[in-house]
Amino acid sequence: MSDTVSDTQAIDRRRFDTLGHANHGWLDARHHFSFAGYHDPDRMGWGAIRVWNDDVIAPQNGFPPHPHRDMEIVTYVRSGAITHQDSLGNKGRTGAGDVQVMSAGSGVRHAEYNLEDVPTTLFQIWIEPTSRGGEPHWGAKPFPKGERSGRFVTLASGFAEDSDALPIRAKARVMGATLKAGEATSHRVEAGRHAYLVPATGRITIDGQTFDARDGAALSGGRTYDIAATDDAEIVLVDAE
């Protein structure tokens, strides 16, 4: 796809109020792509990005132990904190603005709980790995917000040159940025790749199109996108095959 492709062809806006929705009481979940009981043949994924869930988890509740395999599972905590425990013996708490990664590999069981006294909000993102199997692993890392002020910073990556990022087994990058109202940045999506962007907070424009907080933007490859903040905004972007 060339840079002459029109904005309407290159950007697919997925408004928050059109997302799949499941409220389990302790979990209020919105699904950007088909997941569990929500099925939309037009929203099965975007390239190697298979799941993007927008979850609100009630205090002292969470996901009991359950299995995964052959998936890269990235959790971006927006507020509160999540506590992870898995069958490998890993345990850790990830707070707001930070990221944890679980490479399920050949198989792992894990549990995730909100052990806080306030609701936890997070994005859970699943990316297909480049190959199946392998030893499962888990990792988490704090990322100072100052480093991603006004620009995208890579939080998790399958590229060796991103040595400061959490490793994943996919040719993908999970990136975060904070923009103050009036600030702008850009992101190039190379031909053949797929990017998905969600403002966790704030209102933004992408090539002049308005996106409210928690709307999704599926960005086609082969062009550079200009991203500007109408309000102070926190943005999460995945660039994948």
Side-chain angles (χ1 to χ4, degrees), residues 7-157:
D7 290 348
T8 54
Q9 290 176 299
I11 305 173
D12 178 12
R13 181 186 177 196
R14 301 180 177 183
R15 297 194 322 271
F16 179 75
D17 62 5
T18 71
L19 303 180
H21 186 209
N23 192 336
H24 304 283
W26 65 273
L27 171 68
D28 190 359
R30 300 276 179 168
H31 308 306
H32 285 261
F33 306 114
S34 294
F35 183 82
Y38 166 62
H39 179 79
D40 183 338
D42 294 327
R43 294 185 177 180
M44 297 303 294
W46 184 238
I49 306 165
R50 283 291 173 256
V51 170
W52 191 307
N53 288 345
D54 180 329
D55 292 341
V56 181
I57 304 170
Q60 307 300 322
N61 273 282
F63 300 91
H66 57 281
H68 290 285
R69 65 177 301 151
D70 294 319
M71 194 65 69
E72 304 301 293
I73 300 173
V74 181
T75 304
Y76 183 96
V77 181
R78 294 166 20 231
S79 67
I82 198 77
T83 297
H84 166 99
Q85 190 166 1
D86 63 38
S87 54
L88 306 174
N90 296 307
K91 185 173 183 178
R93 177 183 179 275
T94 303
D98 297 338
V99 173
Q100 70 171 18
V101 169
M102 186 176 73
S103 290
S106 58
V108 63
R109 289 179 62 83
H110 80 135
E112 288 185 314
Y113 291 105
N114 172 15
L115 300 180
E116 315 302 311
D117 294 325
V118 296
T120 288
T121 63
L122 55 82
F123 293 143
Q124 188 171 100
I125 300 160
W126 295 12
I127 306 169
E128 288 190 341
T130 52
S131 60
R132 299 172 68 85
E135 279 293 314
H137 69 80
W138 173 86
K141 191 173 182 181
F143 292 93
K145 281 184 165 49
E147 292 184 6
R148 56 182 186 247
S149 178
R151 65 187 181 94
F152 282 106
V153 171
T154 302
L155 309 175
S157 173

Side-chain angles (χ1 to χ4, degrees), residues 187-202:
H187 180 74
R188 172 79 184 173
V189 185
E190 297 297 343
R193 293 184 64 80
H194 304 76
Y196 200 80
L197 181 156
V198 181
T201 60

Side-chain angles (χ1 to χ4, degrees), residues 211-222:
F211 289 78
D212 294 321
R214 299 162 77 185
D215 286 352
L219 308 179
S220 296

